[in-house]
Amino acid sequence: MDIQNAGDGSGRLFIVEKHGGFASLRGDRSFQPHFWIFSAEVGSRSTEQGLLGLAFHPHYSQSGLFYVNYTDENGNTVIARFHVSADNPDLADPASQVDILRIDQPYNNHNGGGLAFGPDGYLYIGLGDGGSEGDPLLNGQNLRTLLGKLLRIDVDHATPYAIPAGNPFAKSGGLAEIWAYGLA
């Protein structure tokens, strides 16, 4: 589903698997098959569900934090933070999960899944319009739902997150997390 580099100098690439895990591949082609496995909570019954995105914190080498976007057993979107294992840098700590966002999904498709940290240090989250064909719920234009949007949140200055002051609706007019809309 995705391939990411942790930016920690290890040269590892992390390969995201739809059914709820990811592996790491080193530059010397050594393979760690189970950096993180989370398949018990990941719902992947539909072709557009599962573990959909991964982003490493910009200071991963110091913080050990990474973020995932997945659909749960009920088909809803979960954005969660995890920490690398304190004992083994080639394993994640499954007990470290902190949910950042949970978003109800009305259908089993159009879930989005992209996660990335921007040069501003904020976490960007791509959410699909919630499904079916042609955005029947008009989520892409509705500023009172996170569906069909690109979100921008600050995961460093509040728990679970803060709203960057420069977000278009940080003060009013729509949900504060929205960075861009109409992305159905």
Side-chain angles (χ1 to χ4, degrees), residues 2 44 75 87 102 147 156 170 172:
D2 197 4
S44 58
D87 300 327
R102 286 187 167 265
L147 297 172
D156 288 330
S172 66

Side-chain angles (χ1 to χ4, degrees), residues 10-170:
S10 69
R12 295 177 294 178
L13 291 178
F14 292 84
I15 302 157
V16 178
E17 300 169 348
K18 172 184 161 74
H19 297 290
F22 55 91
S24 67
L25 179 66
R26 292 188 181 275
D28 64 3
R29 296 196 178 142
S30 61
F31 186 70
Q32 173 71 31
H34 302 295
F35 179 84
W36 183 72
I37 295 184
F38 197 59
S39 57
E41 293 195 30
V42 173
S44 58
R45 287 169 269 178
S46 167
T47 58
E48 297 179 39
Q49 292 179 328
L51 179 56
L52 302 173
L54 165 67
F56 289 92
H57 190 279
H59 303 291
Y60 176 76
S61 60
Q62 293 87 27
S63 70
L65 298 174
F66 63 93
Y67 297 78
V68 296
N69 180 333
Y70 70 92
T71 52
D72 67 15
E73 286 290 309
N74 296 317
N76 297 315
T77 293
V78 179
I79 310 299
R81 180 184 72 214
F82 288 87
H83 198 280
V84 68
S85 169
D87 300 327
N88 185 343
D90 287 322
L91 294 175
D93 178 1
S96 66
Q97 179 173 352
V98 173
D99 289 350
I100 305 297
L101 278 169
R102 286 187 167 265
I103 302 147
D104 291 342
Q105 290 283 354
Y107 299 98
N108 64 2
N109 63 343
H110 296 203
N111 294 303
L115 286 179
F117 279 91
D120 54 11
Y122 297 135
L123 181 62
Y124 290 77
I125 304 164
L127 290 176
D129 64 19
S132 197
E133 185 176 329
D135 192 17
L137 301 177
L138 305 176
N139 288 324
Q141 298 296 321
N142 181 350
L143 297 177
R144 297 286 170 216
T145 180
L146 298 176
L147 297 172
K149 312 296 185 301
L150 180 61
L151 311 181
R152 184 174 82 149
I153 60 174
D154 178 352
V155 295
D156 288 330
H157 295 101
T159 301
Y161 62 88
I163 301 299
N167 278 12
F169 306 105

